[in-house]
């Protein structure tokens, strides 16, 4: 993947919706050839669907061709059960949309993979979500057909990160996929956003997989449909903003919004700027102080939505009644 | 595996050394044909090595033919660093003994597997140990040969239990073994003992793998050399005693030690006894109140010993100085 | 407090309802002078209310004179939201019953105290419940009266156990009570039961406080209305059965239910029995394997019920909608 | 406390040593009247001692008059046991320095208070340190004098934060101090630094207590010698940098170090700058990705040093051997 214009400036985002905003601003136009966007409201939440139609358009966005969908919830941390249910239903609906595009059958096995690191709070949303998934594969095969109704065979794993396992996560998943032959994989991961107000409010789906260098884990091999040989629906949750992104963003805002305060060309002097910025800054992340609570809450929402979407006979009511 | 005489009486143990005691008592003789035992002192700890030489002898013990080694430490919970180092060194020496019997070379890859469940304290010793293993496989392949010296390629995973993953643990490990081709597997698991004073004091090694129904997780498929196609060194740590084992043991002690208090034939009336015992009792386990602390401590000891034994250039000093 | 007949036999329980059963069996009669009992159904759960009217009756039960109420739920671990709500409502109703007997006013300050030890799973139900209490005291004093409506000033603390603080828990609470002058204290603690099927199904309320030696923490000074100078409503949750209780209970069951299997007088030979039982047994507790999950679940129920009962304007719906 | 010049610019620090650097730069001179500084090396670590001698000097620094000592370790996260021991010994030595200035006797009771929030990783260093303190007060009073030798009576508590308890932390501690009458209080808290390379490398001691608005918890009432009526030694550990501090710092660095890149007066236009910066930024903190590990490690160092310093008969060897 080529470096995008904003990555060259020191801004990092894993969100297609932010990449699209940046690319549009860069191009000075609202629409970019080869990129279709649609905005709709689902259970009171704003959903932005982006389709990257060509390799070329993908280069502009820094994203592989495919479907991206972003749910922006009013608030996922509010402990307001109504909001939580609304965003869960919207996420379940979007997951079902991705599944229907893949022509999956009700009895097709799904393997859910929680990427990231239990021991690092902002990177633990994948493992935490996996621990609340309604897992059925081991029961399904020994159940009579009439009992299987409504439950899809689902298995799940949180394999851990490279530094802890010594194995590329993609390698672990590939070996499981090759042996257990699921029809598709759902991968849950923590993401980096550009805007602070994405934290705790946004969920991104895509069918392009988890790409090398994206997410907090910086995997070297992508967890993609091409590598695994089966479709991958990825669910990404922004939990951090890189500190450099914040600083560069602030500089650019100052330069553009306040004429005369900063010289207009500041955004182009990125090399000089980055030289001045402390090298320690580059690996540092900004999180809300209540990140522990936020991760807990979002992991529950993602697991609940998957339980609704994956199991054809399980509706939102069952999930909220029985599986909380 | 046939049911042993004590299992029929309701007594359960995963320890070969206890099975040997029970079988000897049963047979009324100290030695059983086909079973070699040896007791030695290693760094101040008592080590009992048992070799089960034949299938027949294995049936008597309820154990597969192979090598078993039990380290009995004075105390692993004492927070006394000297004791901790002594038992770590003894465990490292026994692991090396098993490795040398397998003719492993210094650069042979090892896959460490932490069995059990993060979310259940007595069953979490495997996952906790894995999180402290010095993992090198990902660095090894990109290091120049002169830097590899002293470090073996080691990878590690704690895959979770069947109820959480929907996949048999043995199946997960087999798929990883077939892809990554380690020369051997080390499997760490929590065990059930018969005697309460085994908890927090005993570690068992064996080269027969983890068998179906053993450990706390009750896996249905064994994690054995035969199934995986590579040698398996298992390290088991007793963290519970089944409640039924306690009750039956108490009854038998009363019957045998106090003539006249209980009728002598009580031990044979096990069917009647078990009928009276509450069925809830059967799944219940006895743990010390400080089980959380004990599991923490033992996991550290197992990880430390593996770090010494697996990496030829890492001595006890390095482990206690640098990796604590 | 004198030793009861069953304590002398090695049976331990913190539940008044079990003490009453044992005392009735001992006396060979259903009712004991000075003890009033009442059984009712509340939201589908069985509630047994016991009133100990005199010191004398108290000695027979091993309980101080006062009110005791035991809620027996079908199942608190089922993750069935309907059951969870039913037992939460029943518990809230019983708390309100105790509060109304104390003639508390809506604006009277409540101090909630979570007894026990974060770091020991079976003893952590108090601290975990406290972390989910809707705390308002700090907001209440700065709110205009019309905003205070519906919310009582509530503060909460989980001070930790003697071995970790070096301070008697009763001493810590007394110093806070004397300074902050709450109108009453609610104390949440883990208990020991006699019967295994009490674990995860039973909650006990009382107005006699937490007595020395009761609970898992074995406090030396009681957290009682007399010591603190304010009313105390205690909420106790059985999470363990002592291993000795199990063994003695099994022996007695064998002796009584199976004529001829054990000699009839076995229950009286307790001294000889206890001599044979391993001394390590005495401090050991029996818990279900899923104790981690059970404690999590029960702590949420207790906190939810307190949030309903303490705040006059907060109904079950609000709690289940907004505070989960 | 008046707002300092850098606070007006949006820079926040709880470290006296950073405040001194900022004030010196502001004044354009190395020394400030009424402030004595001394730099020395202790066990290979750099220790900077600052004495604020007057109210006036305190206003310039934004610090109360008193003693401040900052230990800068090479690295506390390295898992290198030698480094860990070196910084622990240096911290123990500085704590002893503060204690000797207070003329404390060996048998004077110490109350250790862990400020902050268990449930928020960067704010949990106080509670985590407290859980590893060697607590003796409850044993001391019942021990014969010859057994007391070498151990000071120490008690400890982590009361939790205002939002969770509904009580000002200062109020809780005052009530305990008034009842238990310790001779002095040691308060452990997480701090905000200005420079990123302070995180995981710096520990600050002071005898002025924890002041309102300092630390991550933003207490409204100070935990000061004046409020409590006994001496307070505070131990503060920087775990975060506020995001605004990072941005303003980067802007100032650009303006000063790269002539021509930014207009020289940028640092003075702070009002305009802060208007542009997103309001969400103000509560956001920057932490290293490995903050969970860092907090764990630093809490152990602080507890170990206190165990050495508080107990006259416990040397570094005992602590590293027996209490790890």
């Amino acid at each position: 993947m080529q470096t995008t214009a904003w990555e060259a400036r020191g801004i990092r985002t894993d969100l297609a919706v932010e990449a699209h905003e940046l690319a549009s601003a860069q191009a000075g136009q609202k629409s970019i050839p080869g990129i279709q966007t649609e905005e709709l409201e689902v259970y009171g939440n704003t959903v932005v669907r982006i389709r990257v139609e060509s390799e070329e358009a993908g280069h502009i966005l820094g994203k592989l061709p495919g479907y991206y969908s972003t749910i922006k919830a009013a608030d996922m941390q509010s402990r307001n059960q109504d909001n939580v249910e609304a965003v869960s239903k919207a996420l379940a609906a979007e997951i079902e949309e991705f599944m229907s595009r893949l022509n999956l059958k009700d009895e097709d096995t799904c393997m859910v993979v929680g990427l990231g690191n239990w021991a690092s709070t902002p990177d633990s949303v994948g493992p935490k979500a996996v621990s609340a998934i309604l897992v059925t594969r081991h029961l399904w095969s020994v159940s009579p057909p009439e009992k299987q109704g409504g439950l899809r065979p689902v298995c799940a794993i949180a394999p851990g990160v490279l530094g802890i396992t010594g194995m590329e996560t993609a390698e672990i998943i590939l070996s499981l996929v090759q042996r257990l032959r699921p029809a598709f994989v759902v991968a849950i991961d923590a993401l980096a956003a550009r805007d602070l107000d994405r934290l705790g409010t946004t969920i991104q789906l895509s069918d392009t997989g988890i790409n090398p260098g994206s997410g907090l884990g910086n995997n070297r091999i992508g967890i993609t449909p091409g590598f695994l040989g089966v479709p991958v629906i990825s669910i990404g949750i922004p939990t951090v903003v890189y500190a450099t992104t914040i600083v560069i963003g602030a500089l650019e805002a100052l330069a553009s919004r306040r004429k005369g305060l900063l010289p207009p060309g500041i955004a182009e002097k990125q090399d000089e700027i980055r030289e001045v910025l402390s090298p320690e800054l580059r690996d540092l992340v900004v999180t809300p102080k209540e990140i522990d609570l936020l991760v807990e809450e979002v992991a529950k929402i993602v697991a609940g939505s998957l339980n609704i979407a994956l199991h054809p006979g399980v509706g939102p009511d069952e999930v909220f009644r029985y599986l909380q």
Side-chain angles (χ1 to χ4, degrees), chain A:
Chain A
M1 183 84 22
Q2 293 170 326
T3 299
T4 60
W6 53 90
E7 281 166 359
R9 294 208 311 272
I11 290 177
R12 215 188 128 172
T13 177
D14 293 322
L15 293 175
V17 73
E18 289 188 338
H20 186 254
E21 281 165 18
L22 286 159
S24 305
Q26 187 85 14
Q29 54 187 61
K30 257 210 93 169
S31 87
I32 296 166
I35 295 177
Q36 305 292 336
T37 66
E38 182 192 5
E39 189 170 320
L40 54 164
E41 208 188 286
V42 184
Y43 295 105
N45 305 279
T46 305
V47 172
V48 179
R49 295 179 181 164
I50 294 177
R51 183 174 174 191
V52 179
E53 294 174 319
S54 64
E55 294 273 333
E56 251 175 1
H59 285 314
I60 296 171
L61 240 59
K63 298 280 160 204
L64 290 177
Y67 288 86
Y68 297 85
S69 178
T70 308
I71 299 165
K72 175 132 191 188
D75 187 0
M76 291 193 284
Q77 294 171 255
S78 64
R79 309 182 79 175
N80 178 322
Q81 187 65 8
D82 290 324
N83 287 2
V84 164
E85 290 190 14
V87 66
S88 300
K89 283 179 189 168
L91 177 54
E94 286 300 294
I95 298 171
E96 283 163 9
E97 184 76 19
F98 273 79
M99 287 170 61
S100 84
R101 216 159 25 225
L102 295 169
N103 292 317
L104 296 165
K105 287 193 288 284
D106 282 2
E107 67 276 16
D108 283 345
T109 297
C110 174
M111 179 179 290
V112 181
V113 181
L115 302 170
N117 186 352
W118 266 111
S120 161
T121 307
D123 198 20
S124 66
V125 68
K128 282 198 179 123
V130 153
S131 74
I133 292 290
L134 179 57
V135 158
T136 50
R137 179 180 168 274
H138 56 310
L139 309 169
W140 209 84
S141 55
V142 297
S143 302
E146 68 276 14
K147 287 272 166 101
Q148 294 167 352
L151 292 181
R152 173 191 302 281
V154 171
C155 58
I157 194 163
V161 293
L162 179 65
I164 279 171
T165 64
M167 302 179 267
E168 281 288 338
T169 307
E171 234 180 344
I172 296 174
I173 299 170
L174 176 59
S175 67
L176 292 173
V177 165
Q178 288 184 337
R179 180 162 188 86
L180 304 176
R181 306 231 157 264
F184 66 117
V185 164
V186 171
I188 308 166
D189 202 8
L191 303 180
R194 177 202 182 199
D195 274 336
L196 288 160
D197 60 4
R198 291 288 176 186
L199 308 185
T201 62
T202 296
I203 301 173
Q204 170 174 286
L205 292 98
S206 111
D207 60 4
T208 59
I210 308 283
N211 287 289
S214 74
L216 303 202
N218 293 315
N219 303 298
R220 296 184 300 200
I221 307 178
I223 300 159
T224 57
F227 184 73
L228 297 183
V230 294
V232 176
I233 300 172
S234 66
I235 301 178
I237 303 97
T239 60
V240 306
V241 177
Y242 277 91
T244 45
T245 302
I246 299 256
V247 171
I248 301 289
L251 276 175
E252 296 187 349
L254 285 170
S256 68
R257 284 188 236 159
R258 290 276 156 157
K259 299 302 171 200
L261 187 61
L262 291 190
I266 186 76
E268 276 75 53
K269 301 198 183 157
Q270 58 261 17
D271 291 343
E272 292 176 72
I273 291 171
R274 271 186 296 168
E275 217 173 285
V276 173
L277 292 180
S278 130
E280 292 96 357
L281 199 62
R282 280 169 216 165
D283 256 355
L284 288 165
V285 294
V286 177
T287 60
K289 272 199 245 178
E290 67 277 15
I291 180 73
D292 303 68
L293 193 63
L294 184 155
V295 163
E296 207 74 47
E297 201 64 38
V298 173
K300 260 194 245 170
I301 287 172
V302 170
S305 306
L306 276 169
N307 289 337
I308 297 170
L310 292 178
H311 298 297
V314 176
D317 281 2
E318 277 80 9
V319 166
F320 299 128
R321 292 262 113 199
Y322 294 96
L323 300 169
Q324 223 149 27

